[in-house]
Amino acid sequence: MDERLFSRFQPAGAQVFLTELTQTAGAPTPLMSMTSPDGAFFERQLMHMRSYADLRSDRMGEIDIQLDDIISFFTSALQLDETRSGWIFETLSAVLRLCGYIEFPLKFHFNVARPSQLSTRVMPIIETPTHGSWPSGHATEAFAIATVLTGLLYRQTDDAALFSMHAVSNSDEKLGNLMLRIAMRIADNRVVVGVHYPHDGMAGALLGISLGEALVNYLSGASGTYSY
């Protein structure tokens, strides 16, 4: 699974390319093109972090679990059991590995300082990762999983039409919106503990959704996917 996916998705500087599904007149179109805000923007983001820190005592239990496991928050909401849905769990694990393959080159490219590097008042309550802050890896992974699971929920047969998370979330599909709310909670928790700015989660959300949509469209035989 990794060989098939890694060979198709390629991070390059501030962009992510997909060898299929994103072509314009025969030329590759980036699946995602990202531009990081400047340092002054992230300094202003620090003003919002106090309100997140107030949630630490309420969220610490789930935050501890999310250090190593975010899949279970989605699968438990859908009542999925690994013994009966093994291939779904296998697929979600592959999604996580693909996200790591994509997100770390982007983090190193942008090299945005962590909140605690800009202000000693942040005081994170978990160990701060040494790589760049933007985009958030947890947010990327959570929204990619939310998107792929939504694709499985509402697209169980091959379908050449493009899958859009935006279209699902704007419909009356309660489970699709539940997946997004869980993903946002996981992204927010990284701000709560003090290792990310709020905007890191927003950038990771868009990156994760674009990767998730591409996976759903690729695996279901669609002729294209959305670029951002």
Side-chain angles (χ1 to χ4, degrees):
M1 293 172 78
D2 290 348
E3 188 281 329
R4 172 166 288 193
L5 296 179
F6 286 18
S7 65
R8 285 166 168 78
F9 291 84
Q10 294 295 330
Q15 297 177 315
V16 179
F17 287 89
L18 175 62
T19 56
E20 292 131 46
L21 306 188
T22 52
Q23 301 279 327
T24 301
T29 300
L31 174 67
M32 168 70 78
S33 297
M34 306 188 75
T35 303
S36 170
D38 60 19
F41 174 87
F42 288 107
E43 289 182 5
R44 293 192 297 272
Q45 286 269 290
L46 293 170
M47 295 186 298
H48 303 292
M49 297 189 65
R50 174 57 190 271
S51 60
Y52 283 88
D54 290 341
L55 298 171
R56 288 177 174 180
S57 60
D58 293 334
R59 302 274 188 100
M60 204 57 223
E62 63 193 74
I63 287 169
D64 277 339
I65 298 172
Q66 289 164 4
L67 291 174
D68 301 308
D69 171 27
I70 63 173
I71 290 178
S72 64
F73 288 83
F74 296 94
T75 54
S76 62
L78 297 176
Q79 300 181 27
L80 292 175
D81 181 271
E82 193 164 3
T83 59
R84 293 184 299 166
S85 306
W87 280 112
I88 292 179
F89 282 81
E90 195 73 35
T91 301
L92 297 181
S93 295
V95 171
L96 287 183
R97 295 192 296 272
L98 176 66
C99 287
Y101 170 71
I102 297 295
E103 72 201 29
F104 280 102
L106 291 170
K107 286 173 171 287
F108 288 126
H109 174 80
F110 293 112
N111 197 30
V112 171
R114 294 277 176 171
S116 58
Q117 294 176 278
L118 296 188
S119 173
T120 57
R121 300 179 66 182
V122 174
M123 293 189 290
I125 55 174
I126 63 171
E127 183 177 358
T128 300
T130 56
H131 46 264
S133 188
W134 192 92
S136 165
H138 270 68
T140 300
E141 295 159 12
F143 277 90
I145 287 175
T147 303
V148 170
L149 278 174
T150 302
L152 287 171
L153 285 166
Y154 301 113
R155 193 169 180 151
Q156 297 173 1
T157 59
D158 290 345
D159 189 343
L162 267 61
F163 169 77
S164 166
M165 195 65 178
H166 177 74
V168 172
S169 64
N170 277 347
S171 67
D172 192 30
E173 302 292 1
K174 293 182 175 61
L175 286 176
N177 280 296
L178 173 61
M179 296 296 98
L180 288 175
R181 292 199 303 273
I182 293 172
M184 182 57 72
R185 175 104 172 185
I186 292 170
D188 283 348
N189 280 345
R190 301 296 285 175
V191 186
V192 171
V193 295
V195 298
H196 276 294
Y197 311 94
H199 197 271
D200 296 348
M202 296 171 65
L206 190 55
L207 176 60
I209 288 172
S210 72
L211 292 173
E213 286 180 347
L215 284 168
V216 173
N217 285 318
Y218 167 62
L219 295 171
S220 58
S223 59
T225 193
Y226 296 97
S227 59
Y228 295 90

